[in-house]
Amino acid sequence: DRAGLTKMSLSVEELSASLVREFLSRKGLKMTLAQMDEEHPRNSESISNRVALAKTARIEKLMRKNKELSSPYRTMIEVMVKFFLERSSSSETPGANPSS
């Protein structure tokens, strides 16, 4: 039920869908992308321009850093996941019990 969702959460959903579409497109998954377009059609909040998508997701700096790598990631989701994994591994305290 979307009636109770705020404008912000709808924007998060559409930004997420646009990131997934960018991933599918860059990976050449045309049939999967077509299926997504059928099940979750694009709308006025969908973002198809990569520059606008990076800006909206506030990852322009991450994308610039990615371009400097010898083997840059091709998709924004990969760049984001790399960032989150690096950030979480650097914030873990050596010897800490992760289940506590």
Side-chain angles (χ1 to χ4, degrees), residues 5 24 26 37 59 78-79 88:
L5 294 178
L24 296 174
R26 302 280 287 181
D37 284 340
I59 60 169
E78 291 169 313
V79 171
S88 72

Side-chain angles (χ1 to χ4, degrees), residues 56-89:
T56 303
R58 298 187 175 119
I59 60 169
E60 304 103 320
K61 186 176 178 181
L62 286 177
M63 295 305 293
R64 282 192 300 274
K65 282 182 170 180
N66 181 61
K67 281 185 178 180
E68 297 169 3
L69 298 175
S70 58
S71 297
Y73 291 97
R74 289 185 38 83
T75 72
M76 293 184 190
I77 289 177
E78 291 169 313
V79 171
M80 294 167 72
V81 167
K82 177 183 180 282
F83 170 77
F84 292 131
L85 290 175
E86 286 175 349
R87 191 172 83 175
S88 72
S89 68

Side-chain angles (χ1 to χ4, degrees), residues 38-53:
E38 185 177 312
E39 292 181 21
H40 186 85
R42 297 169 201 244
N43 62 39
S44 62
E45 290 186 355
S46 299
I47 305 167
S48 56
N49 178 288
R50 288 189 87 231
V51 172
L53 185 54

